[in-house]
Amino acid sequence: MNMYQEFGRALKETEYTILHGWQSLPDYHKSDLDIAINPRHLKILEKSLLGFESARLVQMLQHESTCFHFILAAKNGKGIKYLQIDAATDYRRNGLIYFSSEELTRARQKWKGFWVSSPEMELAYLLVKKTLKGETPEHQKKRLEYLIGELGEMSSTMISTELFGNEFGPIVISWIYKENWSVLESNVPKLKRALMMETVKKDPLNPFKYWINEANRILRRWLNPTGLFIAVLGPDGVGKSTLIKRLEHELSVAFRRTENFHLRPGVLGKKPEGEPVTDPHGKPTRSYLLSTLKILYYFTDYTLGYLFKIYPKIIRSTMVISDRYCDDLLVDPVRYRYGGSFWFVKLMCYFIPRPRLYLVLDIPADKILKRKQEVGEEELIRQRKAYMDLAVRLPNAFILDSGGTPEKVADDASEIITNYLHNRYMERSGSFFPNNDKMNTLAWLTSVLSANPRGSFFTIKGAGNRDKSLVWETTYEFKYLPVKDGRAYLLPLKRKPAENGLLLYNAQSEKAKAVKALLKKRYIIGLSSLLLNSVSVMTSRSLNIREKSEVLIFEYLKEVMNLGELDFALSLGTPGPHRKPVIQINNGEGIVVGYVKVGWNEVTNSLVRNEADTIKKLSCTSFNSFGMPSVLHAGWWHDRYFTILSSPEGHLLPASKTLNIMYMNVINDLADFNTRSMLVRESDFWAVLLNRVNKVKNGYFRSVLKQKGIPRIEKALNNISLPFHMSHGDFAPWNTYTGNDKIFLYDWEYARPYVPAGYDLFHYIFQTNVFLEKRNSDELYRAVLSDSLNSLTKKYWEKLGVSTDSRNTLFLLYLLDRFSIAASEGAGSFQELNQFSKIIMLLTDI
């Protein structure tokens, strides 16, 4: 199925009309596809485009307040193929509205599975569009001639007269009918005036209707420009110029235009390009004073250049690429004859507006010397390291191995850019087509917790009923507590169960803890209704008692627990492919008696079942360092696997956010449970990892795994056995509490019986440094390697017989596993995946 066939299937949910140029569909289309769409269906269209299997939505250029130009990009083995959809809820241009969506979709016709314009509407649309644009391509001239021939000169004249008035309407059709295009084109200015006068004559308020929404569109475009500013860095000879040319060619469709410059914008004057630099270190260094003045000159040029040259371009959807940038002054000050203070350059770079993406090219020094010999090998080795250090410190920098073919380098770079554009679109989507995140979340929750979604649904109180043919009654009521990262909680109305429900929110930051404490106080004094929305579970009265017990899992849980009346609080989980609800069960006395995890698809069912099986297996052994819940019940409910886990006994406190002896005791106990030595290449862990790597769709991230990480492991561990043992799988502070001098450890969904030693240790250090300390890649790399080898961990490594070199390899194995999971299942953000890739490159000594 090609992209146009997929688009045709995606459009089935929307009310649309293809306005012209559909004759080649579904095989291909020469340019962008113009469609008119019902305004209420724009969100449906966007959802369909985001659901494409063969392409990713990378841009939406809103060229009018009601006109949305969607651009989808697909890799086809020969670069990038694009699908462009120009969707409009009316046709407007130059300050006036010419057709409403009702007019554009009126009398539409079915053609090869697509809805297309009637001949009358197509003729009117083309006459207006080509007049306003002032040009008519040859194929559209032929189409206009065909339409007039099909409709007849009389009908065509009536349509034209309606648009241009009595003076010009008939003569326009005559010019086209007689193929007198030169005369028509010379009269375009008069036709424009006539068209605009007739439009305003019919609707004097038309200009006001046009401009009332236009100001908002212009402001949004200034605040969220659709262009992109990129810097390409690296030593001479790595292929920067070649890459820039290829990117300008490959990505030209994703932007209105592309431009590039060298080093700085040049608003204060720029030297002619002249001959290529053959001796970058040949000229003497400037004095301290002159160097400082030169830096101030550069600072002014960069700042003014961004404000008056670069930013206006990216507002106009331009991809601006800089060959080198101010960061080069930090890497190679001798090249720029700088003899001043290093900290002054660093300060300048901190305040200069920065590119959104950095592409840092790198190959070994000996390969660079085969291309260029401007500087010696020792200097190239120093520069390479400096560029790598810079790349790992910058969160938006990507390292590209430019040792391959120019096509491969450009392919990786274009994949990085299109992925960035897709993620940027997702972040901005709500401002284009407002999302009702609460309703979407509740709709998902209905599908998970209702055996029959027609028989019940979750809704914000007062939002109305789903099916007007049924009578609904409120079954349960909650307060909806959203969290910034997309999670949400449903808290019952009773005070004690509501306070208990806040235990589901294991707050980590001080701000989150303060909010949690405030909410608890609000519940105590009864003011929660002022802070939180009310959510109701509506159940149809038409269902009999037996059916009602099968509709909601809440009713089924009451039967299983057999404790009388129960109250429920819910955690709705972190958005993503592994999202699932956790239900807290409170008895009639307000005491927590259990927690329920509910799977709802193949992946989440597997995770919930794995947790139940793991806890049952571990419950046969007594561990001194940690406690865990017990399985009260596990089984299937309407194709959903669920587990009821016990509530911890005694008073629990949040666990420490830093690695301590209690955590190490847990890791040591898990190692004592079932350690065994084996070759990595013969382990199930390695087989699963390799299979996962092959499923990574992103070519850049897949190449990091296949060309950097995997070969390094295979070379280092060809015939070396390593210790494997039991792993919790998500060992982190937010999955732990402390009590009775022990760690209480829950969320065993990702547990595995045999993973390489150090997995939980690396995971703990990595996760806390990423999410709590917010460290960049370089800081993260150093933190894990240092914190995983100290007095706390020494006993663990010695017991397992792991050397320092092996420890580094084990850390790489951990990274490859987590990276492949996040990249193959879509469970990691774009920035998180880049962080993984850069640390892997550091570990593989790129």
Side-chain angles (χ1 to χ4, degrees):
M1 182 189 300
N2 65 32
M3 286 197 291
Y4 292 104
Q5 290 170 325
E6 189 174 353
F7 180 62
R9 293 180 65 176
L11 283 174
K12 287 183 178 179
E13 300 292 325
T14 63
E15 183 181 317
Y16 75 96
T17 302
I18 300 177
L19 296 171
H20 71 95
W22 60 80
Q23 289 74 25
S24 59
L25 294 174
D27 299 324
Y28 71 96
H29 195 264
K30 291 181 179 179
S31 59
D32 54 313
L33 200 62
D34 289 352
I35 68 170
I37 188 167
N38 186 316
R40 293 177 304 173
H41 289 190
L42 273 172
K43 188 65 187 174
I44 301 173
L45 173 64
E46 183 205 36
K47 183 179 179 181
S48 299
L49 296 179
L50 288 172
F52 258 56
E53 294 181 4
S54 61
R56 303 193 85 185
L57 181 55
V58 296
Q59 282 275 46
M60 198 284 289
L61 310 178
Q62 191 178 5
H63 49 89
E64 299 281 357
S65 60
T66 57
C67 303
F68 309 90
H69 186 84
F70 296 98
I71 302 174
L72 290 90
K75 302 296 291 290
N76 64 354
K78 298 179 181 178
I80 300 177
K81 186 177 180 180
Y82 293 94
L83 171 64
Q84 300 181 73
I85 311 298
D86 210 349
T89 59
D90 58 35
Y91 183 70
R92 57 178 63 201
R93 194 180 177 95
N94 299 350
L96 291 175
I97 303 168
Y98 296 95
F99 301 110
S100 66
S101 62
E102 291 80 5
E103 291 171 319
L104 291 169
T105 57
R106 187 181 300 153
R108 60 183 183 155
Q109 302 174 354
K110 202 78 171 180
W111 187 87
K112 289 189 179 182
F114 294 90
W115 285 104
V116 301
S117 286
S118 64
E120 293 84 357
M121 190 65 247
E122 186 185 3
L123 176 62
Y125 174 75
L126 286 176
L127 286 173
V128 171
K129 184 174 182 178
K130 299 310 158 186
T131 298
L132 294 174
K133 282 196 168 184
E135 58 180 21
T136 308
E138 195 61 37
H139 69 280
Q140 289 180 349
K141 291 178 181 179
K142 297 295 183 186
R143 185 63 182 171
L144 284 166
E145 292 168 5
Y146 169 81
L147 289 169
I148 291 172
E150 181 180 352
L151 292 170
E153 193 170 358
M154 182 177 295
S155 295
S156 301
T157 299
M158 290 176 62
I159 293 170
S160 181
T161 301
E162 181 74 12
L163 296 171
F164 299 102
N166 294 325
E167 181 181 355
F168 287 100
I171 199 169
V172 166
I173 299 301
S174 176
W175 285 334
I176 297 174
Y177 189 75
K178 296 176 181 178
E179 300 184 30
N180 201 347
W181 290 100
S182 59
V183 176
L184 188 150
E185 288 167 356
S186 65
N187 282 278
V188 162
K190 294 180 182 178
L191 293 177
K192 281 184 181 179
R193 287 194 295 270
L195 176 64
M196 295 173 74
M197 288 179 64
E198 287 297 318
T199 302
V200 175
K201 188 188 299 182
K202 293 170 192 170
D203 181 11
L205 294 178
N206 193 303
F208 174 77
K209 294 174 183 177
Y210 176 94
W211 286 107
I212 193 169
N213 292 321
E214 195 65 9
N216 184 48
R217 180 191 72 86
I218 294 171
L219 177 62
R220 187 164 56 240
R221 189 163 181 173
W222 271 88
L223 296 176
N224 297 303
T226 49
L228 183 61
F229 182 25
I230 304 169
V232 180
L233 306 180
D236 282 332
V238 292
K240 295 188 296 295
S241 300
T242 302
L243 174 61
I244 290 170
K245 289 178 182 177
R246 287 184 173 274
L247 289 179
E248 287 183 315
H249 172 72
E250 279 199 15
L251 297 171
S252 58
V253 177
F255 300 92
R256 295 289 190 199
R257 56 192 67 81
T258 63
E259 290 191 19
N260 69 79
F261 65 89
H262 181 76
L263 185 62
R264 58 189 179 89
V267 292
L268 297 183
K270 191 173 182 180
K271 293 193 309 181
E273 291 296 331
E275 295 296 322
V277 178
T278 57
D279 187 10
H281 293 175
K283 294 183 179 180
T285 301
R286 294 186 178 92
S287 68
Y288 188 94
L289 178 60
L290 287 177
S291 295
T292 303
L293 292 174
K294 188 72 173 180
I295 290 300
L296 291 173
Y297 174 80
Y298 274 19
F299 176 81
T300 305
D301 188 62
Y302 278 116
T303 306
L304 296 180
Y306 184 83
L307 292 175
F308 297 109
K309 192 172 183 179
I310 297 173
Y311 196 72
K313 290 181 187 298
I314 61 176
I315 285 172
R316 295 194 290 271
S317 307
T318 303
M319 179 176 69
V320 181
I321 307 179
S322 174
D323 180 355
R324 301 182 183 272
Y325 201 59
C326 68
D327 308 87
D328 252 41
L329 292 164
L330 295 169
V331 173
D332 190 8
V334 178
R335 181 187 186 94
Y336 304 101
R337 304 171 61 193
Y338 181 70
S341 171
F342 182 79
W343 72 264
F344 189 60
V345 179
K346 200 170 182 180
L347 183 67
M348 178 199 73
C349 289
Y350 180 81
F351 286 104
I352 285 173
R354 313 306 292 273
R356 290 296 182 183
L357 282 178
Y358 285 89
L359 302 178
V360 182
L361 305 188
D362 180 81
I363 52 174
D366 58 333
K367 291 186 178 181
I368 297 177
L369 286 171
K370 291 178 181 178
R371 301 178 183 181
K372 288 190 175 185
Q373 293 83 36
E374 280 79 359
V375 296
E377 184 174 9
E378 186 177 340
E379 173 60 17
L380 278 176
I381 292 172
R382 187 201 66 79
Q383 286 188 24
R384 283 189 65 223
K385 184 180 184 307
Y387 278 117
M388 291 304 100
D389 290 344
L390 176 67
V392 295
R393 288 197 306 271
L394 294 172
N396 56 342
F398 289 78
I399 302 170
L400 286 166
D401 181 358
S402 59
T405 64
E407 293 81 6
K408 176 65 170 66
V409 179
D411 196 48
D412 285 346
S414 61
E415 185 133 32
I416 289 168
I417 294 168
T418 54
N419 271 273
Y420 172 84
L421 292 174
H422 173 74
N423 281 269
R424 185 178 73 177
Y425 178 86
M426 296 302 294
E427 291 172 358
R428 296 176 178 180
S429 173
S431 65
F432 301 134
F433 314 109
N435 291 312
N436 193 331
D437 291 331
K438 290 178 184 176
M439 293 305 295
N440 292 338
T441 299
L442 294 177
W444 165 79
L445 190 62
T446 299
S447 70
V448 178
L449 301 184
S450 298
N452 175 13
R454 178 178 165 81
S456 69
F457 67 99
F458 288 79
T459 182
I460 296 175
K461 196 171 183 182
N465 297 335
R466 174 177 291 183
D467 190 335
K468 300 296 183 182
S469 66
L470 299 175
V471 179
W472 302 90
E473 63 182 17
T474 301
T475 310
Y476 296 93
E477 288 193 63
F478 302 92
K479 289 297 181 179
Y480 185 92
L481 171 62
V483 182
K484 188 176 181 181
D485 62 5
R487 290 175 293 156
Y489 300 86
L490 295 184
L491 305 176
L493 301 186
K494 293 180 183 177
R495 193 190 76 182
K496 185 61 178 175
E499 290 178 22
N500 292 339
L502 290 172
L503 294 172
L504 289 164
Y505 181 21
N506 193 352
Q508 295 298 307
S509 69
E510 295 305 317
K511 180 179 178 182
K513 290 177 181 177
V515 170
K516 182 176 175 179
L518 175 64
L519 284 168
K520 186 174 181 180
K521 290 180 180 178
R522 289 288 185 180
Y523 265 107
I524 292 172
I525 59 176
L527 295 178
S528 62
S529 59
L530 300 177
L531 297 172
L532 307 175
N533 287 127
S534 295
V535 167
S536 301
V537 184
M538 311 297 291
T539 305
S540 171
R541 284 187 192 171
S542 66
L543 299 172
N544 61 41
I545 295 174
R546 185 174 183 279
E547 286 176 325
K548 277 190 179 182
S549 67
E550 290 295 318
V551 168
L552 286 173
I553 196 171
F554 297 136
E555 302 301 323
Y556 184 72
L557 292 175
K558 288 179 180 179
E559 294 180 15
V560 172
M561 297 298 289
N562 193 27
L563 293 174
E565 193 62 30
L566 301 176
D567 289 294
F568 304 98
L570 290 87
S571 165
L572 307 190
T574 304
H578 296 175
R579 184 176 202 175
K580 57 199 163 301
V582 177
I583 306 170
Q584 183 193 73
I585 305 175
N586 292 265
N587 67 14
E589 297 175 0
I591 299 171
V592 179
V593 293
Y595 291 88
V596 186
K597 290 193 175 181
V598 186
W600 55 279
N601 58 17
E602 184 179 355
V603 173
T604 54
N605 282 335
S606 176
L607 290 171
V608 174
R609 188 166 193 168
N610 182 59
E611 179 167 32
D613 293 344
T614 300
I615 291 175
K616 288 176 182 177
K617 181 180 178 181
L618 294 178
S619 64
C620 299
T621 302
S622 177
F623 296 96
N624 294 323
S625 63
F626 69 92
M628 57 186 174
S630 57
V631 178
L632 303 179
H633 183 90
W636 292 92
W637 178 78
H638 292 282
D639 298 322
R640 283 150 241 189
Y641 197 86
F642 75 99
T643 303
I644 305 178
L645 302 175
S646 65
S647 176
E649 297 179 359
H651 181 63
L652 297 182
L653 297 171
S656 170
K657 292 188 287 188
T658 57
L659 190 67
N660 59 29
I661 190 63
M662 294 180 71
Y663 286 126
M664 284 310 305
N665 287 339
V666 173
I667 295 172
N668 275 295
D669 269 2
L670 290 176
D672 291 338
F673 179 71
N674 64 346
T675 297
R676 59 182 289 192
S677 183
M678 67 180 85
L679 293 172
V680 172
R681 55 186 169 83
E682 294 179 356
S683 66
D684 290 340
F685 175 89
W686 186 247
V688 171
L689 192 154
L690 291 179
N691 182 55
R692 227 189 279 118
V693 168
N694 290 326
K695 294 179 180 178
V696 175
K697 293 181 179 179
N698 183 290
Y700 171 72
F701 293 134
R702 188 172 60 250
S703 68
V704 171
L705 287 161
K706 281 192 166 186
Q707 297 173 22
K708 300 296 178 187
I710 301 298
R712 172 61 185 272
I713 294 295
E714 291 175 336
K715 181 179 179 181
L717 302 175
N718 185 31
N719 289 303
I720 298 176
S721 293
L722 287 176
F724 284 67
H725 65 72
M726 182 74 197
S727 165
H728 175 270
D730 194 12
F731 194 60
W734 41 89
N735 290 329
T736 60
Y737 282 100
T738 59
N740 300 322
D741 297 322
K742 299 173 87 172
I743 293 285
F744 184 82
L745 193 55
Y746 58 97
D747 277 351
W748 290 83
E749 300 163 356
Y750 301 97
R752 283 180 277 181
Y754 291 103
V755 299
Y759 194 98
D760 281 342
L761 174 60
F762 293 132
H763 187 77
Y764 182 93
I765 300 170
F766 192 90
Q767 295 289 301
T768 53
N769 277 276
V770 169
F771 295 108
L772 301 182
E773 302 299 330
K774 310 295 183 184
R775 297 188 186 275
N776 62 38
S777 300
D778 182 52
E779 294 168 337
L780 187 55
Y781 165 76
R782 298 179 192 281
V784 174
L785 290 184
S786 63
D787 291 352
S788 62
L789 185 60
N790 54 34
S791 58
L792 279 173
T793 64
K794 185 178 179 181
K795 176 185 173 183
Y796 171 73
W797 294 121
E798 287 179 348
K799 176 176 65 176
L800 296 173
V802 175
S803 66
T804 300
D805 289 342
S806 295
R807 179 180 60 96
N808 292 348
T809 305
L810 287 168
F811 179 38
L812 178 58
L813 270 172
Y814 162 78
L815 287 172
L816 294 178
D817 186 67
R818 299 302 302 183
F819 186 22
S820 63
I821 290 172
S824 63
E825 299 181 0
S829 69
F830 189 56
Q831 290 292 347
E832 184 183 352
L833 294 174
N834 183 35
Q835 202 164 38
F836 273 120
S837 69
K838 287 192 284 193
I839 299 173
I840 288 171
M841 289 181 179
L842 286 171
L843 280 168
T844 53
D845 294 325
I846 186 172

